[in-house]
Amino acid sequence: MKPLHRIARAEHSHWVGDGFPVRTLFSYNTQDADVSPFLLLDYAGPAEFAPAAKPRGVGFHPHRGFETVTIVYQGEVVHRDTAGNGGSIGPGDVQWMTAAKGLLHEEMHSEAFTRRGGTFEAVQLWVNLPARYKMDTPHYQSIGYTRIPAVKLDDYGSMLRIIAGDFQGHKGPARTYTPVNLWDLRLSAEQTVEVDLPEDYTTILFALKGRVEINRSAILNDVELAFFKRDGTRLTLTARTNSILLLMNGKPIDEPIAGYGPFVMNTPEEIRQALADFKYQGH
């Protein structure tokens, strides 16, 4: 069994722009945040938005040194960036943006979602880049729902979608710089599944919805996060209610982290350079 380290819950939320009421589950600058290669997890919603004429969201803002992974569960997001990438993602879709040496991007509700209103729910995960890739050219992966393999786990509706990495011989579509497994799990009530994971990798399990028993002992409730120790390989999950989970598993990057808001590099000098470059561009 992969031992459980701790369970955490974010009680407080904050707004990102006017479109995303966000709870930060972990961040690179919080205590006990040895979660490499992951840097941050934000959970937006679920929140109800009334129909409107003007799209809500967050305007152009910078990133450097890492990747943002946005998974939409309800609603629609439109992305644009200064590298010339753009696109819309809806329920089940993923956008994987590699900021690398830096860009600006905006994230807004789509015009269709803005007009009709409804429930918005999404997750954004930040994934670190090794030092040798931090100044690469930015790029963008738009991963539609139909491109993500779904593996049936039982005869009662449980399934596992492979966004990145491998599961039982099935490979996810996301291209990653270091080994990462990112799995979207849907477990039916009173069903038990076992998953095997690489030893010595960071493993984090986020419950968006439901109540799940971990390794036949601890209980993970909705909007809670389970951090696991790096030894051991197997997780046993028993859903006590219908549950939606996001499993993050990745090989740690054994390098120092220096971060300031939307910039994550390896040294304070690199952060100062990122700020200077951003200012030089006239922002």
Side-chain angles (χ1 to χ4, degrees), residues 122-144:
V123 163
Q124 185 168 96
L125 173 69
W126 292 10
V127 181
N128 201 12
L129 289 170
R132 65 185 181 276
Y133 299 127
K134 283 184 177 290
M135 295 301 287
D136 276 10
T137 300
H139 63 90
Y140 176 83
Q141 301 174 69
S142 181
I143 304 171

Side-chain angles (χ1 to χ4, degrees), residues 71-83:
I71 306 167
V72 174
Y73 292 86
Q74 300 183 77
E76 292 175 344
V77 174
V78 174
H79 163 95
R80 285 195 306 153
D81 66 44
T82 51

Side-chain angles (χ1 to χ4, degrees), residues 216-263:
R216 308 191 189 281
S217 56
I219 294 292
L220 186 69
N221 293 298
D222 63 303
V223 200
E224 289 185 341
L225 198 68
F227 296 86
F228 294 87
K229 297 180 181 178
R230 289 180 178 165
D231 51 319
T233 60
R234 177 160 293 190
L235 285 183
T236 300
L237 305 174
T238 300
R240 295 307 179 194
T241 64
N242 291 337
S243 299
I244 300 174
L245 309 167
L246 182 67
L247 191 144
M248 296 152 276
N249 173 256
K251 184 178 181 179
I253 299 171
D254 188 19
E255 295 175 352
I257 290 176
Y260 182 83
F263 307 122

Side-chain angles (χ1 to χ4, degrees), residues 29-139:
N29 58 10
T30 56
Q31 188 177 5
D32 198 17
D34 184 14
V35 292
S36 179
F38 310 113
L39 294 169
L40 175 145
L41 182 70
D42 276 346
Y43 177 46
E48 293 296 323
F49 288 90
K54 181 181 178 182
R56 306 173 179 95
V58 58
F60 279 101
H61 57 283
H63 291 298
R64 174 180 279 184
F66 61 97
E67 305 181 283
T68 66
V69 182
T70 304
I71 306 167
V72 174
Y73 292 86
Q74 300 183 77
E76 292 175 344
V77 174
V78 174
H79 163 95
R80 285 195 306 153
D81 66 44
T82 51
N85 303 302
S88 177
I89 57 172
D93 298 337
V94 176
Q95 67 177 23
W96 197 297
M97 186 190 78
T98 304
K101 69 179 181 181
L103 47 62
L104 306 179
H105 79 140
E106 69 170 7
E107 298 157 294
M108 307 295 292
H109 295 179
S110 72
E111 290 188 6
F113 179 75
T114 299
R115 287 195 303 268
R116 70 174 180 266
T119 305
F120 184 86
E121 183 179 19
V123 163
Q124 185 168 96
L125 173 69
W126 292 10
V127 181
N128 201 12
L129 289 170
R132 65 185 181 276
Y133 299 127
K134 283 184 177 290
M135 295 301 287
D136 276 10
T137 300
H139 63 90

Side-chain angles (χ1 to χ4, degrees), residues 151-210:
V151 178
K152 180 180 175 181
L153 298 176
D154 56 37
D155 294 328
Y156 303 96
S158 301
M159 70 172 187
L160 184 152
R161 300 173 67 233
I162 310 156
I163 298 167
D166 299 272
F167 180 76
Q168 295 183 353
H170 301 272
K171 187 172 179 59
R175 302 183 306 276
T176 65
Y177 283 79
T178 58
V180 170
N181 293 301
L182 185 60
W183 300 340
D184 172 20
L185 290 92
R186 313 297 172 101
L187 303 185
S188 299
E190 301 306 328
Q191 302 305 306
T192 297
V193 300
E194 292 185 337
V195 295
D196 290 315
L197 299 161
E199 194 160 17
D200 299 325
Y201 279 32
T202 295
T203 302
I204 306 167
L205 184 67
F206 176 47
L208 288 83
K209 173 187 174 183

